[in-house]
Amino acid sequence: MQDAFGGIINIVLIVLFLVIVEGILGMTVNYTKAFKMKNIVLSAVEQYEASACFSSNNADSACLEKIKNDAKGIGYAPSNLRCPRDFESKGGLFCYRQMEVDSSSYRKQTYYRIITQVDIHIPIVREIMSLEFFQVKGDTRMIDISDK
């Protein structure tokens, strides 16, 4: 009888180990998707120089269509996007904030801070998704907005 309990404990430990390893691998894949999405948004905003990327009246602009199509291509679709304070959500895919730059020249420059979120489907971890550990942040290059 004692050998039977030893076998059960070994099976439980093996299953627990496999669950932990699969969780780590799943987290790595989802973190990679969030990182790629951040790069997609940054390159689109820089390519279009933020024109019509963030306006609310132009929901089907070329910039947003490019971002949405590329997000579908990599399989990025966060189920519960939570933006930090002072950030706005765009299409449920990413958060952004316009950062002003003090410049003494005649040109007004700005840059955008972009945040994407790692999507996790584990119920306990999903409740703490607003932690910064589960978000990927990036900044665009300086964008000249004096003529826009």
Side-chain angles (χ1 to χ4, degrees):
M1 189 66 163
Q2 192 173 11
D3 290 336
F5 286 120
I8 292 174
I9 292 174
N10 286 338
I11 291 174
V12 168
L13 290 176
I14 290 171
V15 168
L16 184 64
F17 174 75
L18 290 176
V19 167
I20 290 172
V21 168
E22 287 180 18
I24 291 171
L25 291 175
M27 177 72 173
T28 303
V29 168
N30 286 326
Y31 189 81
T32 303
K33 283 183 185 180
F35 192 81
K36 284 182 181 179
M37 183 63 187
K38 177 202 54 116
N39 289 339
I40 288 169
V41 174
L42 289 177
S43 66
V45 170
E46 290 174 356
Q47 178 184 355
Y48 291 96
E49 293 186 347
S51 63
C53 286
F54 303 115
S55 64
S56 59
N57 57 357
N58 196 359
D60 57 348
S61 68
C63 178
L64 287 177
E65 285 301 315
K66 178 179 178 8
I67 292 171
K68 288 178 183 178
N69 290 336
D70 289 347
K72 284 182 187 176
I74 64 170
Y76 179 80
S79 59
N80 190 13
L81 181 67
R82 293 184 185 169
C83 296
R85 189 178 348 173
D86 299 332
F87 280 80
E88 296 180 43
S89 174
K90 195 63 174 176
L93 294 173
F94 62 94
C95 304
Y96 72 95
R97 179 178 177 198
Q98 183 176 0
M99 311 293 282
E100 295 291 331
V101 177
D102 291 333
S103 61
S104 59
S105 66
Y106 64 93
R107 296 183 345 210
K108 186 176 180 186
Q109 291 184 325
T110 188
Y111 66 96
Y112 290 88
R113 179 157 292 152
I114 305 296
I115 297 177
T116 57
Q117 186 168 294
V118 178
D119 195 23
I120 299 175
H121 296 289
I122 302 171
I124 297 171
V125 178
R126 183 180 285 183
E127 297 303 320
I128 58 172
M129 282 297 288
S130 63
L131 292 177
E132 289 186 14
F133 176 74
F134 296 112
Q135 295 178 340
V136 181
K137 299 178 184 177
D139 296 334
T140 63
R141 63 173 169 75
M142 293 294 177
I143 297 172
D144 205 8
I145 61 170
S146 59
D147 58 345
K148 295 181 175 124

